[in-house]
Amino acid sequence: MNIETVKERAGPREFSPKDDLPEEYRRAATRMLQFHANSEIMGAYLERPFIRQAPSLERKMAFSAKVQDEIGHGQLLYRAAESLGIKTREEMLRELENGAGKFLNCFHYPMEHWVETPMIAFFVDGAAMRRQATLKQSSWEPYAHAMDKVCFEEGFHVKHGEDILRELMSGSRKEQRLTQEAFETWWPRILQFFGPTDDQSSHHDFAADTGLKLMTNDELRNAFLNTYMPKAEKYGLEIPDEPRIRERDDGTYEVVEDDLDWEEFFTVAKNEFEPGRGQIDAHKQAQDAVQWVRDALDAGEAIGTGGGSPQAAD
Amino acid sequence: MIWEVFRQESAGGYHTHCGNVHAPDREMALLFAEVQHGRRKPTNSLWVVPKDEIGEVDTEDAAFGGTTDKSYRFARTYNVEPAAEEVEESEKELTEAERERARREA
């Protein structure tokens, strides 16, 4: 199939591993999926310390279940990416470890205090879920199928995150003040979650034409702001004056892009942001620490298959 | 040799198990699957898999979902209004799954 045919046929769940797809499509889909899978893993690592730091048994159990879910999402997405035939799961995991693999801007920032958790668990997950809901219509069928399961689980994450926010914002004055401060720190990063405005997004056109991407960055950010800004205000959070957000006549929002730090965003995007390097290295150390488990599994697999004799009876 | 058959109704959907056929090889298994399972029910694609290659764990061996109260991992537990349409949709699916599990345990 050539690119023109792909663009003509592009529709929800249109292409599967049995289709002969041009390399350009397979590369673009791999890039998206690998980014998405990496982000699931790095997000899980960011939240993992809060299994220990959570203030109650219920919260510990919920965070533990959530981190487990996110790692699972990463695995699902690496499988969906692998089926494009460009990179193996091992290659993608190695790239994540050595700092070549890219992932969401928000997960480059360390998270240290409990009051920060709803910034990820409610706002970032809410933003991610908005995007993921659209990707159920991806033209790459394995991606869409992965999104069915991810979205099924993600409702718990977002509601749990909102529950923490509600709890903090109805807590002591100090809790409310610290939560507001955390919100002010994270808010610009959350606005940048959807990436640069459409005209600056380098990959958008191809991904949109081939059905890999369903909505523009602006559309997604608008949908997010429409639902999540009223929620923030409902719990008593004050939206910072900057970055400025203007309401258009049609009720949608315009974020004044110049108020956001795009230099930092692109440094983050290139994995050159110093705190983000720390996140990447911490993930690598955790991976190295359990290398012996993977080695043992590989050794077991080699024995189990009798050193590579065919498995099927035919 | 027995081959398990999985049918996909329409493009983009899931292949779900629908039965099995006797066949000496994969080619014949596909042919028999086509005749037995793809003739009347709407079919877009069929998979055949050697029965021996399928592993199974069932309720005899496993307590799926655990044996303790795991309500903390269901959206319904958190008493906040779903923030967005997709959160509400997910909550519905989760609640349905939770209800079905509870029904079976009863």
Side-chain angles (χ1 to χ4, degrees):
Chain A
M1 214 184 297
N2 62 31
I3 285 292
E4 293 318 308
T5 318
V6 169
K7 287 180 182 174
E8 270 165 36
R9 276 183 52 187
R13 309 183 179 213
E14 184 64 32
F15 307 121
S16 73
K18 67 185 176 194
D19 289 305
D20 173 29
L21 292 156
E23 189 171 333
E24 197 181 351
Y25 176 91
R26 291 185 291 117
R27 287 208 177 276
T30 303
R31 195 185 56 80
M32 268 182 89
L33 271 155
Q34 185 179 1
F35 183 90
H36 196 162
N38 289 345
S39 301
E40 297 281 355
I41 302 291
M42 294 308 289
Y45 272 82
L46 197 62
E47 289 191 308
R48 184 183 60 152
F50 292 91
I51 299 171
R52 189 171 284 182
Q53 292 178 42
S56 71
L57 187 57
E58 283 78 11
R59 295 284 187 228
K60 279 183 203 301
M61 292 197 295
F63 258 96
S64 158
K66 186 185 176 209
V67 167
Q68 190 184 15
D69 283 351
E70 306 290 19
I71 296 287
H73 298 170
Q75 299 291 1
L76 277 178
L77 289 161
Y78 285 125
R79 282 293 306 123
E82 215 173 23
S83 59
L84 286 152
I86 299 288
K87 287 180 190 174
T88 65
R89 186 176 70 156
E90 281 68 27
E91 284 171 321
M92 291 183 274
L93 286 168
R94 213 174 305 130
E95 286 181 9
L96 183 59
E97 282 173 35
N98 67 25
K102 306 293 169 57
F103 55 97
L104 274 175
N105 71 320
C106 290
F107 301 150
H108 287 255
Y109 298 90
M111 185 162 70
E112 279 152 9
H113 302 289
W114 177 251
V115 292
E116 292 178 281
T117 57
M119 307 311 145
I120 296 286
F122 181 50
F123 292 108
V124 176
D125 276 17
M129 200 176 171
R130 178 85 286 276
R131 183 166 169 273
Q132 285 162 339
T134 70
L135 292 172
K136 282 186 176 185
Q137 308 300 320
S138 169
S139 62
W140 183 240
E141 181 197 84
Y143 201 175
H145 284 186
M147 286 305 103
D148 287 340
K149 183 168 190 288
V150 167
C151 287
F152 169 76
E153 295 175 351
E154 206 70 33
F156 143 52
H157 302 176
V158 177
K159 284 193 76 192
H160 176 239
E162 184 173 346
D163 197 53
I164 298 171
L165 179 65
R166 184 189 56 173
E167 190 175 71
L168 288 166
M169 290 306 286
S170 52
S172 67
R173 278 203 188 145
K174 188 183 171 196
E175 277 176 315
Q176 292 180 29
R177 178 175 53 80
L178 292 173
T179 309
Q180 175 68 32
E181 282 172 19
F183 182 63
E184 286 169 20
T185 305
W186 282 89
W187 184 240
R189 305 167 184 170
I190 293 164
L191 292 176
Q192 286 178 313
F193 169 97
F194 293 106
T197 23
D198 298 334
D199 51 329
Q200 288 171 22
S201 172
S202 45
H203 299 291
H204 177 78
D205 288 349
F206 182 83
D209 291 347
T210 54
L212 284 167
K213 196 170 169 184
L214 282 297
M215 281 171 94
T216 67
N217 296 350
D218 271 1
E219 284 169 334
L220 287 167
R221 185 165 52 203
N222 254 301
F224 169 76
L225 290 172
N226 272 320
T227 41
Y228 287 82
M229 274 212 303
K231 279 284 190 180
E233 284 166 342
K234 180 187 165 190
Y235 294 113
L237 287 172
E238 273 179 51
I239 312 285
D241 292 338
E242 283 198 4
R244 286 165 290 171
I245 298 170
R246 297 182 185 136
E247 194 168 342
R248 297 191 188 105
D249 293 339
D250 60 359
T252 62
Y253 294 106
E254 181 195 347
V255 178
V256 179
E257 299 262 329
D258 287 346
D259 289 355
L260 290 159
D261 187 346
W262 292 100
E263 203 182 312
E264 180 171 294
F265 178 86
F266 286 109
T267 312
V268 164
K270 281 184 269 181
N271 287 352
E272 285 167 6
F273 183 61
E274 205 42 57
R277 296 292 320 179
Q279 301 296 115
I280 295 165
D281 292 343
H283 168 255
K284 185 183 186 313
Q285 280 163 20
Q287 285 290 99
D288 288 347
V290 292
Q291 181 57 40
W292 65 274
V293 178
R294 287 188 296 276
D295 290 345
L297 287 171
D298 287 347
E301 188 177 350
I303 296 162
T305 56
S309 65
Q311 290 188 46
D314 59 336
Chain B
M1 171 168 189
I2 293 171
W3 299 72
E4 298 297 338
V5 184
F6 298 77
R7 190 182 69 245
Q8 180 196 48
E9 273 197 18
S10 49
Y14 290 81
H15 284 77
T16 47
H17 185 243
C18 60
N20 50 33
V21 292
H22 265 284
D25 58 33
R26 178 173 283 139
E27 195 186 349
M28 293 293 280
L30 283 167
L31 178 64
F32 294 157
E34 199 181 318
V35 173
Q36 275 196 31
H37 297 284
R39 259 190 338 154
R40 291 189 182 77
K41 295 224 168 144
T43 304
N44 182 64
S45 155
L46 292 169
W47 287 346
V48 293
V49 181
K51 187 179 179 58
D52 290 347
E53 295 300 323
I54 294 179
E56 182 182 359
V57 56
D58 64 14
T59 45
E60 296 250 311
D61 312 306
F64 295 110
T67 52
T68 53
D69 178 10
K70 298 232 183 337
S71 52
Y72 57 83
R73 65 185 181 196
F74 286 92
R76 197 171 60 150
T77 306
Y78 302 99
N79 191 21
V80 287
E81 279 290 305
E85 197 183 314
E86 61 274 10
V87 179
E88 199 174 339
E89 186 62 33
S90 165
E91 179 170 4
K92 262 190 223 150
E93 290 176 18
L94 281 161
T95 303
E96 183 51 43
E98 193 189 12
R99 203 173 283 147
E100 181 61 20
R101 267 174 44 83
R103 192 185 64 78
R104 289 183 195 189
E105 275 164 23

